[in-house]
Amino acid sequence: MFSPQGPSLRELAVQALSSVERGYDLLAPKFDHTPFRTPDSVLDAVASALRRIGPFEDGLDVCCGTGAGVGVLRQVCEGSVTGVDFSAGMLAVARERVPSGLPRVSWVRADARALPFRPAFDLAVSFGAFGHFLPRELPGLFAQVHSVLRPGGCFAFPVVAPPRPGSLMYCMLLGFDLVMRVRNAVWRPPFVMYYRAVRFGDLLRELEGAGFRVHLHPLPEFGRQRDGSPRVRMVVARRLP
Ligand SMILES: C[S@@+](CC[C@H](N)C(=O)[O-])C[C@H]1O[C@@H](n2cnc3c(N)ncnc32)[C@H](O)[C@@H]1O
């Protein structure tokens, strides 16, 4: 699952017993060698889909980590690009790895539940971070993203169809969530990371509740499931003017 440059089992265990913020500080130097970083295939597909509905002026990557989504924004935004994350360690790696150039990139350390921006962005993206939020935190998170977008601005992120019940992937994710629930019941600080806590329908309802109009764009690069539905979609939530 991990490359030789990735974290050891012991390092992962120490990280998982920390808070989310501290855990990512510790993981940061090896994060890009883990499967937790969004794969390039997903980033490329989202960039292509955004190109079809762009261009955009100023972009924000929410929970940017080491800068995976910032690379996408640099392709589709003509103005500034900002990455925001609460882990100083992840931001330090991002600063080293993402080349400077145009559009201008800046990094901000902040909690996504309290974004320190005015409505200054035309596009916000987020990759691989919603598992760190409890279902009850989603309305607040989406309200924050809504508040930093200019009227008409978009919040876009990919969503993978849930695995078929009984499949190997289904059992692995279920097992992971169970372990995390036990860990969080007996250990402080909590490390919130659940794969199956938020349902797709809830996600869409909360976005609409926050004042977005939602459109779904299938990402054709990932094909379709047996029932014909797309394997991966890009959600585009537009802030109503
Ligand atoms: C799985 S990583 C994904 C990083 C990157 N977006 C990617 O796709 O490679 C999740 C990131 O979310 C950040 N994060 C989690 N909760 C956060 C919060 N409340 N505010 C800001 N960042 C948060 C973590 O620090 C971490 O960098």
Side-chain angles (χ1 to χ4, degrees):
M1 195 175 174
F2 294 97
S3 73
Q5 301 102 306
S8 66
L9 212 57
R10 189 180 168 282
E11 286 172 323
L12 272 181
V14 172
Q15 286 145 19
L17 292 174
S18 316
S19 66
V20 176
E21 183 182 338
R22 177 80 187 126
Y24 276 106
D25 282 347
L26 295 170
L27 182 60
K30 297 186 174 177
F31 177 78
D32 286 353
H33 304 288
T34 71
F36 308 129
R37 183 194 188 269
T38 299
D40 286 343
S41 55
V42 175
L43 300 170
D44 292 345
V46 169
S48 301
L50 286 173
R51 247 182 248 115
R52 291 194 281 275
I53 58 170
F56 302 92
E57 193 58 27
D58 300 303
L60 176 69
D61 182 10
V62 180
C63 302
C64 63
T66 54
V70 163
V72 171
L73 294 177
R74 294 177 81 225
Q75 297 174 52
V76 299
C77 292
E78 294 175 347
S80 68
V81 169
T82 304
V84 62
D85 199 287
F86 68 5
S87 160
M90 295 291 269
L91 290 173
V93 173
R95 272 192 198 97
E96 269 172 30
R97 301 239 164 113
V98 176
S100 54
L102 289 174
R104 195 172 48 81
V105 177
S106 45
W107 306 99
V108 175
R109 183 171 177 224
D111 194 316
R113 292 165 292 195
L115 290 172
F117 307 112
R118 293 178 305 110
F121 301 98
D122 306 288
L123 174 64
V125 293
S126 193
F127 293 89
F130 291 160
H132 293 303
F133 299 90
L134 294 169
R136 66 167 183 272
E137 293 178 305
L138 284 187
L141 175 69
F142 292 160
Q144 283 293 299
V145 177
H146 187 271
S147 74
V148 302
L149 284 170
R150 296 188 177 114
C154 290
F155 180 31
F157 53 88
V159 176
V160 180
R164 197 170 33 80
S167 64
L168 179 64
M169 183 53 80
Y170 178 88
C171 297
M172 281 170 60
L173 299 186
L174 190 67
F176 180 92
D177 282 10
L178 276 175
V179 170
M180 292 311 281
R181 283 190 194 283
V182 172
R183 178 253 182 251
N184 287 332
V186 300
W187 195 266
R188 289 284 171 273
F191 191 101
V192 173
M193 175 63 228
Y194 300 118
Y195 283 103
R196 299 184 65 257
V198 178
R199 312 269 149 160
F200 187 53
D202 297 340
L203 205 65
L204 302 186
R205 205 185 42 248
E206 298 300 357
L207 285 166
E208 278 165 6
F212 288 105
R213 178 168 299 151
V214 181
H215 291 279
L216 301 177
H217 299 248
L219 297 181
E221 291 86 341
F222 299 97
R224 293 194 169 258
Q225 306 194 93
R226 273 189 215 151
D227 65 2
S229 60
R231 279 215 175 83
V232 186
R233 291 181 244 231
M234 180 175 77
V235 174
V236 177
R238 196 176 282 276
R239 176 177 173 164
L240 298 175

